[in-house]
mmCIF file of all heavy atoms in Angstrom:
data_model
loop_
_atom_site.group_PDB
_atom_site.id
_atom_site.type_symbol
_atom_site.label_atom_id
_atom_site.label_comp_id
_atom_site.label_asym_id
_atom_site.label_seq_id
_atom_site.Cartn_x
_atom_site.Cartn_y
_atom_site.Cartn_z
ATOM 1 N N MET H 138 -7.981 3.203 3.331
ATOM 2 C CA MET H 138 -8.167 1.778 3.476
ATOM 3 C C MET H 138 -6.859 1.028 3.207
ATOM 4 O O MET H 138 -6.441 0.209 3.991
ATOM 5 C CB MET H 138 -9.259 1.312 2.525
ATOM 6 C CG MET H 138 -9.482 -0.177 2.541
ATOM 7 S SD MET H 138 -10.892 -0.596 1.515
ATOM 8 C CE MET H 138 -10.197 -1.901 0.560
ATOM 9 N N PHE H 139 -6.201 1.340 2.111
ATOM 10 C CA PHE H 139 -4.990 0.621 1.745
ATOM 11 C C PHE H 139 -3.785 1.087 2.551
ATOM 12 O O PHE H 139 -2.800 0.377 2.630
ATOM 13 C CB PHE H 139 -4.696 0.762 0.255
ATOM 14 C CG PHE H 139 -5.719 0.082 -0.610
ATOM 15 C CD1 PHE H 139 -6.603 0.815 -1.369
ATOM 16 C CD2 PHE H 139 -5.803 -1.300 -0.653
ATOM 17 C CE1 PHE H 139 -7.545 0.194 -2.162
ATOM 18 C CE2 PHE H 139 -6.742 -1.935 -1.427
ATOM 19 C CZ PHE H 139 -7.620 -1.186 -2.185
ATOM 20 N N GLU H 140 -3.881 2.268 3.148
ATOM 21 C CA GLU H 140 -2.729 2.785 3.877
ATOM 22 C C GLU H 140 -2.320 1.867 5.023
ATOM 23 O O GLU H 140 -1.139 1.701 5.300
ATOM 24 C CB GLU H 140 -3.011 4.190 4.408
ATOM 25 C CG GLU H 140 -1.791 4.811 5.037
ATOM 26 C CD GLU H 140 -1.972 6.252 5.416
ATOM 27 O OE1 GLU H 140 -2.847 6.922 4.858
ATOM 28 O OE2 GLU H 140 -1.224 6.691 6.291
ATOM 29 N N ALA H 141 -3.271 1.232 5.667
ATOM 30 C CA ALA H 141 -2.951 0.307 6.758
ATOM 31 C C ALA H 141 -2.100 -0.860 6.266
ATOM 32 O O ALA H 141 -1.295 -1.410 7.019
ATOM 33 C CB ALA H 141 -4.224 -0.208 7.406
ATOM 34 N N LEU H 142 -2.242 -1.224 5.010
ATOM 35 C CA LEU H 142 -1.446 -2.313 4.447
ATOM 36 C C LEU H 142 0.032 -1.970 4.419
ATOM 37 O O LEU H 142 0.880 -2.858 4.437
ATOM 38 C CB LEU H 142 -1.913 -2.642 3.033
ATOM 39 C CG LEU H 142 -3.255 -3.322 2.902
ATOM 40 C CD1 LEU H 142 -3.645 -3.421 1.432
ATOM 41 C CD2 LEU H 142 -3.245 -4.695 3.538
ATOM 42 N N LEU H 143 0.344 -0.690 4.396
ATOM 43 C CA LEU H 143 1.742 -0.275 4.308
ATOM 44 C C LEU H 143 2.525 -0.641 5.560
ATOM 45 O O LEU H 143 3.752 -0.585 5.563
ATOM 46 C CB LEU H 143 1.836 1.220 4.032
ATOM 47 C CG LEU H 143 1.237 1.680 2.707
ATOM 48 C CD1 LEU H 143 1.318 3.189 2.593
ATOM 49 C CD2 LEU H 143 1.918 1.005 1.527
ATOM 50 N N ASP H 144 1.831 -1.020 6.621
ATOM 51 C CA ASP H 144 2.494 -1.445 7.846
ATOM 52 C C ASP H 144 2.913 -2.911 7.777
ATOM 53 O O ASP H 144 3.628 -3.387 8.651
ATOM 54 C CB ASP H 144 1.587 -1.216 9.055
ATOM 55 C CG ASP H 144 1.302 0.262 9.274
ATOM 56 O OD1 ASP H 144 2.182 1.094 8.961
ATOM 57 O OD2 ASP H 144 0.203 0.589 9.741
ATOM 58 N N GLU H 145 2.481 -3.616 6.743
ATOM 59 C CA GLU H 145 2.838 -5.027 6.558
ATOM 60 C C GLU H 145 4.245 -5.140 5.961
ATOM 61 O O GLU H 145 4.750 -4.198 5.363
ATOM 62 C CB GLU H 145 1.840 -5.709 5.612
ATOM 63 C CG GLU H 145 0.419 -5.723 6.110
ATOM 64 C CD GLU H 145 0.203 -6.603 7.322
ATOM 65 O OE1 GLU H 145 1.031 -7.501 7.584
ATOM 66 O OE2 GLU H 145 -0.801 -6.404 8.015
ATOM 67 N N ASP H 146 4.845 -6.306 6.114
ATOM 68 C CA ASP H 146 6.178 -6.504 5.523
ATOM 69 C C ASP H 146 6.051 -6.815 4.032
ATOM 70 O O ASP H 146 4.962 -7.095 3.525
ATOM 71 C CB ASP H 146 6.959 -7.596 6.252
ATOM 72 C CG ASP H 146 6.274 -8.958 6.201
ATOM 73 O OD1 ASP H 146 5.739 -9.322 5.138
ATOM 74 O OD2 ASP H 146 6.295 -9.660 7.215
ATOM 75 N N ALA H 147 7.167 -6.744 3.341
ATOM 76 C CA ALA H 147 7.173 -6.903 1.886
ATOM 77 C C ALA H 147 6.688 -8.286 1.445
ATOM 78 O O ALA H 147 6.028 -8.413 0.416
ATOM 79 C CB ALA H 147 8.574 -6.645 1.343
ATOM 80 N N THR H 148 6.988 -9.314 2.221
ATOM 81 C CA THR H 148 6.544 -10.661 1.877
ATOM 82 C C THR H 148 5.028 -10.750 1.897
ATOM 83 O O THR H 148 4.417 -11.340 0.993
ATOM 84 C CB THR H 148 7.155 -11.689 2.853
ATOM 85 O OG1 THR H 148 8.573 -11.575 2.827
ATOM 86 C CG2 THR H 148 6.747 -13.097 2.500
ATOM 87 N N THR H 149 4.413 -10.152 2.889
ATOM 88 C CA THR H 149 2.954 -10.149 2.992
ATOM 89 C C THR H 149 2.340 -9.360 1.848
ATOM 90 O O THR H 149 1.361 -9.792 1.235
ATOM 91 C CB THR H 149 2.506 -9.556 4.345
ATOM 92 O OG1 THR H 149 3.061 -10.357 5.402
ATOM 93 C CG2 THR H 149 0.997 -9.526 4.464
ATOM 94 N N LEU H 150 2.925 -8.207 1.546
ATOM 95 C CA LEU H 150 2.411 -7.394 0.444
ATOM 96 C C LEU H 150 2.510 -8.133 -0.882
ATOM 97 O O LEU H 150 1.582 -8.089 -1.694
ATOM 98 C CB LEU H 150 3.159 -6.060 0.378
ATOM 99 C CG LEU H 150 2.944 -5.133 1.568
ATOM 100 C CD1 LEU H 150 3.812 -3.892 1.426
ATOM 101 C CD2 LEU H 150 1.490 -4.773 1.735
ATOM 102 N N ALA H 151 3.624 -8.818 -1.098
ATOM 103 C CA ALA H 151 3.789 -9.585 -2.336
ATOM 104 C C ALA H 151 2.726 -10.674 -2.443
ATOM 105 O O ALA H 151 2.161 -10.896 -3.522
ATOM 106 C CB ALA H 151 5.178 -10.195 -2.396
ATOM 107 N N ALA H 152 2.423 -11.337 -1.345
ATOM 108 C CA ALA H 152 1.398 -12.382 -1.349
ATOM 109 C C ALA H 152 0.027 -11.790 -1.649
ATOM 110 O O ALA H 152 -0.761 -12.383 -2.400
ATOM 111 C CB ALA H 152 1.386 -13.113 -0.008
ATOM 112 N N LEU H 153 -0.270 -10.634 -1.092
ATOM 113 C CA LEU H 153 -1.559 -9.982 -1.353
ATOM 114 C C LEU H 153 -1.700 -9.616 -2.825
ATOM 115 O O LEU H 153 -2.775 -9.775 -3.410
ATOM 116 C CB LEU H 153 -1.706 -8.737 -0.472
ATOM 117 C CG LEU H 153 -1.870 -8.990 1.023
ATOM 118 C CD1 LEU H 153 -1.800 -7.673 1.790
ATOM 119 C CD2 LEU H 153 -3.174 -9.715 1.318
ATOM 120 N N ILE H 154 -0.626 -9.137 -3.409
ATOM 121 C CA ILE H 154 -0.642 -8.800 -4.838
ATOM 122 C C ILE H 154 -0.808 -10.069 -5.668
ATOM 123 O O ILE H 154 -1.630 -10.135 -6.580
ATOM 124 C CB ILE H 154 0.635 -8.043 -5.242
ATOM 125 C CG1 ILE H 154 0.660 -6.661 -4.594
ATOM 126 C CG2 ILE H 154 0.734 -7.920 -6.756
ATOM 127 C CD1 ILE H 154 1.979 -5.936 -4.711
ATOM 128 N N ARG H 155 -0.031 -11.084 -5.331
ATOM 129 C CA ARG H 155 -0.070 -12.348 -6.071
ATOM 130 C C ARG H 155 -1.461 -12.986 -6.013
ATOM 131 O O ARG H 155 -1.944 -13.536 -6.989
ATOM 132 C CB ARG H 155 0.990 -13.302 -5.510
ATOM 133 C CG ARG H 155 1.209 -14.535 -6.304
ATOM 134 C CD ARG H 155 2.423 -15.362 -5.834
ATOM 135 N NE ARG H 155 2.592 -15.449 -4.382
ATOM 136 C CZ ARG H 155 3.508 -14.775 -3.667
ATOM 137 N NH1 ARG H 155 4.349 -13.948 -4.264
ATOM 138 N NH2 ARG H 155 3.602 -14.911 -2.367
ATOM 139 N N ASN H 156 -2.120 -12.883 -4.851
ATOM 140 C CA ASN H 156 -3.455 -13.464 -4.667
ATOM 141 C C ASN H 156 -4.567 -12.587 -5.235
ATOM 142 O O ASN H 156 -5.729 -12.967 -5.200
ATOM 143 C CB ASN H 156 -3.725 -13.734 -3.195
ATOM 144 C CG ASN H 156 -2.816 -14.801 -2.631
ATOM 145 O OD1 ASN H 156 -2.359 -15.672 -3.349
ATOM 146 N ND2 ASN H 156 -2.540 -14.726 -1.341
ATOM 147 N N GLY H 157 -4.206 -11.403 -5.709
ATOM 148 C CA GLY H 157 -5.202 -10.521 -6.302
ATOM 149 C C GLY H 157 -6.041 -9.753 -5.294
ATOM 150 O O GLY H 157 -7.045 -9.148 -5.651
ATOM 151 N N GLU H 158 -5.610 -9.764 -4.032
ATOM 152 C CA GLU H 158 -6.367 -9.055 -2.997
ATOM 153 C C GLU H 158 -6.162 -7.546 -3.075
ATOM 154 O O GLU H 158 -7.018 -6.776 -2.622
ATOM 155 C CB GLU H 158 -5.984 -9.578 -1.614
ATOM 156 C CG GLU H 158 -6.373 -11.032 -1.413
ATOM 157 C CD GLU H 158 -5.946 -11.561 -0.068
ATOM 158 O OE1 GLU H 158 -6.218 -10.895 0.937
ATOM 159 O OE2 GLU H 158 -5.334 -12.648 -0.046
ATOM 160 N N VAL H 159 -5.040 -7.144 -3.627
ATOM 161 C CA VAL H 159 -4.716 -5.732 -3.792
ATOM 162 C C VAL H 159 -3.804 -5.629 -5.012
ATOM 163 O O VAL H 159 -3.089 -6.565 -5.338
ATOM 164 C CB VAL H 159 -4.053 -5.164 -2.507
ATOM 165 C CG1 VAL H 159 -2.708 -5.775 -2.258
ATOM 166 C CG2 VAL H 159 -3.972 -3.664 -2.536
ATOM 167 N N SER H 160 -3.856 -4.506 -5.691
ATOM 168 C CA SER H 160 -2.991 -4.344 -6.863
ATOM 169 C C SER H 160 -1.749 -3.545 -6.477
ATOM 170 O O SER H 160 -1.740 -2.794 -5.497
ATOM 171 C CB SER H 160 -3.738 -3.622 -7.990
ATOM 172 O OG SER H 160 -3.914 -2.254 -7.679
ATOM 173 N N ALA H 161 -0.715 -3.712 -7.268
ATOM 174 C CA ALA H 161 0.512 -2.947 -7.051
ATOM 175 C C ALA H 161 0.228 -1.455 -7.172
ATOM 176 O O ALA H 161 0.794 -0.635 -6.443
ATOM 177 C CB ALA H 161 1.581 -3.379 -8.042
ATOM 178 N N ARG H 162 -0.667 -1.113 -8.083
ATOM 179 C CA ARG H 162 -1.025 0.294 -8.271
ATOM 180 C C ARG H 162 -1.682 0.863 -7.007
ATOM 181 O O ARG H 162 -1.396 1.986 -6.591
ATOM 182 C CB ARG H 162 -1.969 0.436 -9.461
ATOM 183 C CG ARG H 162 -2.290 1.867 -9.814
ATOM 184 C CD ARG H 162 -3.208 1.917 -11.045
ATOM 185 N NE ARG H 162 -3.277 3.216 -11.649
ATOM 186 C CZ ARG H 162 -3.983 4.238 -11.153
ATOM 187 N NH1 ARG H 162 -4.649 4.095 -10.045
ATOM 188 N NH2 ARG H 162 -3.992 5.401 -11.780
ATOM 189 N N GLU H 163 -2.562 0.089 -6.392
ATOM 190 C CA GLU H 163 -3.230 0.545 -5.170
ATOM 191 C C GLU H 163 -2.227 0.747 -4.041
ATOM 192 O O GLU H 163 -2.311 1.735 -3.293
ATOM 193 C CB GLU H 163 -4.304 -0.457 -4.749
ATOM 194 C CG GLU H 163 -5.489 -0.481 -5.694
ATOM 195 C CD GLU H 163 -6.405 -1.658 -5.465
ATOM 196 O OE1 GLU H 163 -5.925 -2.764 -5.124
ATOM 197 O OE2 GLU H 163 -7.628 -1.464 -5.646
ATOM 198 N N LEU H 164 -1.293 -0.174 -3.895
ATOM 199 C CA LEU H 164 -0.276 -0.029 -2.848
ATOM 200 C C LEU H 164 0.636 1.153 -3.111
ATOM 201 O O LEU H 164 1.000 1.886 -2.187
ATOM 202 C CB LEU H 164 0.541 -1.306 -2.730
ATOM 203 C CG LEU H 164 -0.183 -2.483 -2.090
ATOM 204 C CD1 LEU H 164 0.701 -3.719 -2.107
ATOM 205 C CD2 LEU H 164 -0.618 -2.162 -0.674
ATOM 206 N N THR H 165 0.992 1.352 -4.367
ATOM 207 C CA THR H 165 1.830 2.492 -4.719
ATOM 208 C C THR H 165 1.115 3.795 -4.408
ATOM 209 O O THR H 165 1.705 4.719 -3.837
ATOM 210 C CB THR H 165 2.230 2.438 -6.200
ATOM 211 O OG1 THR H 165 2.938 1.224 -6.439
ATOM 212 C CG2 THR H 165 3.093 3.625 -6.585
ATOM 213 N N GLN H 166 -0.152 3.874 -4.752
ATOM 214 C CA GLN H 166 -0.922 5.081 -4.468
ATOM 215 C C GLN H 166 -1.034 5.320 -2.964
ATOM 216 O O GLN H 166 -0.933 6.457 -2.503
ATOM 217 C CB GLN H 166 -2.314 5.008 -5.102
ATOM 218 C CG GLN H 166 -3.080 6.318 -5.002
ATOM 219 C CD GLN H 166 -2.372 7.459 -5.698
ATOM 220 O OE1 GLN H 166 -2.076 7.379 -6.884
ATOM 221 N NE2 GLN H 166 -2.074 8.531 -4.979
ATOM 222 N N ALA H 167 -1.225 4.258 -2.206
ATOM 223 C CA ALA H 167 -1.292 4.399 -0.745
ATOM 224 C C ALA H 167 0.017 4.937 -0.191
ATOM 225 O O ALA H 167 0.019 5.793 0.696
ATOM 226 C CB ALA H 167 -1.642 3.057 -0.112
ATOM 227 N N ALA H 168 1.145 4.450 -0.726
ATOM 228 C CA ALA H 168 2.453 4.935 -0.279
ATOM 229 C C ALA H 168 2.632 6.409 -0.636
ATOM 230 O O ALA H 168 3.119 7.204 0.178
ATOM 231 C CB ALA H 168 3.562 4.097 -0.900
ATOM 232 N N LEU H 169 2.238 6.783 -1.841
ATOM 233 C CA LEU H 169 2.341 8.183 -2.248
ATOM 234 C C LEU H 169 1.444 9.075 -1.395
ATOM 235 O O LEU H 169 1.849 10.176 -1.000
ATOM 236 C CB LEU H 169 1.974 8.326 -3.736
ATOM 237 C CG LEU H 169 2.959 7.699 -4.714
ATOM 238 C CD1 LEU H 169 2.377 7.714 -6.123
ATOM 239 C CD2 LEU H 169 4.303 8.396 -4.667
ATOM 240 N N ASP H 170 0.252 8.605 -1.091
ATOM 241 C CA ASP H 170 -0.662 9.368 -0.235
ATOM 242 C C ASP H 170 -0.074 9.553 1.152
ATOM 243 O O ASP H 170 -0.160 10.633 1.738
ATOM 244 C CB ASP H 170 -2.017 8.671 -0.139
ATOM 245 C CG ASP H 170 -2.801 8.697 -1.436
ATOM 246 O OD1 ASP H 170 -2.449 9.473 -2.358
ATOM 247 O OD2 ASP H 170 -3.774 7.911 -1.543
ATOM 248 N N ARG H 171 0.538 8.495 1.690
ATOM 249 C CA ARG H 171 1.141 8.587 3.020
ATOM 250 C C ARG H 171 2.280 9.598 3.022
ATOM 251 O O ARG H 171 2.413 10.401 3.943
ATOM 252 C CB ARG H 171 1.640 7.225 3.476
ATOM 253 C CG ARG H 171 2.267 7.280 4.867
ATOM 254 C CD ARG H 171 2.776 5.959 5.313
ATOM 255 N NE ARG H 171 1.690 5.192 5.930
ATOM 256 C CZ ARG H 171 1.884 4.037 6.553
ATOM 257 N NH1 ARG H 171 3.079 3.502 6.619
ATOM 258 N NH2 ARG H 171 0.869 3.409 7.096
ATOM 259 N N MET H 172 3.099 9.571 1.981
ATOM 260 C CA MET H 172 4.211 10.535 1.895
ATOM 261 C C MET H 172 3.687 11.964 1.780
ATOM 262 O O MET H 172 4.207 12.879 2.415
ATOM 263 C CB MET H 172 5.113 10.214 0.709
ATOM 264 C CG MET H 172 5.976 9.003 0.936
ATOM 265 S SD MET H 172 7.156 8.723 -0.398
ATOM 266 C CE MET H 172 6.096 8.018 -1.642
ATOM 267 N N GLU H 173 2.651 12.139 0.997
ATOM 268 C CA GLU H 173 2.057 13.469 0.839
ATOM 269 C C GLU H 173 1.529 13.998 2.172
ATOM 270 O O GLU H 173 1.740 15.145 2.530
ATOM 271 C CB GLU H 173 0.931 13.428 -0.209
ATOM 272 C CG GLU H 173 0.265 14.753 -0.444
ATOM 273 C CD GLU H 173 1.164 15.775 -1.146
ATOM 274 O OE1 GLU H 173 2.072 15.365 -1.871
ATOM 275 O OE2 GLU H 173 0.931 16.987 -0.945
ATOM 276 N N ASN H 174 0.842 13.135 2.905
ATOM 277 C CA ASN H 174 0.288 13.534 4.201
ATOM 278 C C ASN H 174 1.392 13.822 5.217
ATOM 279 O O ASN H 174 1.234 14.686 6.075
ATOM 280 C CB ASN H 174 -0.658 12.458 4.740
ATOM 281 C CG ASN H 174 -1.944 12.394 3.956
ATOM 282 O OD1 ASN H 174 -2.363 13.372 3.344
ATOM 283 N ND2 ASN H 174 -2.565 11.226 3.937
ATOM 284 N N ALA H 175 2.495 13.104 5.135
ATOM 285 C CA ALA H 175 3.612 13.316 6.067
ATOM 286 C C ALA H 175 4.293 14.653 5.814
ATOM 287 O O ALA H 175 4.896 15.216 6.730
ATOM 288 C CB ALA H 175 4.620 12.174 5.941
ATOM 289 N N ASN H 176 4.198 15.153 4.603
ATOM 290 C CA ASN H 176 4.832 16.411 4.254
ATOM 291 C C ASN H 176 4.002 17.624 4.611
ATOM 292 O O ASN H 176 4.418 18.751 4.387
ATOM 293 C CB ASN H 176 5.195 16.441 2.760
ATOM 294 C CG ASN H 176 6.316 15.482 2.426
ATOM 295 O OD1 ASN H 176 7.196 15.250 3.257
ATOM 296 N ND2 ASN H 176 6.287 14.907 1.244
ATOM 297 N N HIS H 177 2.818 17.414 5.148
ATOM 298 C CA HIS H 177 1.953 18.545 5.512
ATOM 299 C C HIS H 177 1.814 18.692 6.980
ATOM 300 O O HIS H 177 1.892 18.037 7.819
ATOM 301 C CB HIS H 177 0.561 18.399 4.886
ATOM 302 C CG HIS H 177 0.592 18.661 3.406
ATOM 303 N ND1 HIS H 177 0.363 17.672 2.501
ATOM 304 C CD2 HIS H 177 0.848 19.771 2.714
ATOM 305 C CE1 HIS H 177 0.457 18.158 1.290
ATOM 306 N NE2 HIS H 177 0.758 19.450 1.381
#
């Protein structure tokens, strides 16, 4: 679900975090998951 957010620009992501729509932890985990999947 959160992985699609990784296609957004940093300004949009910052606004989502600031508005409480997503947490920094959730975005970080999505990025780590994407990297893990890319390595397989």
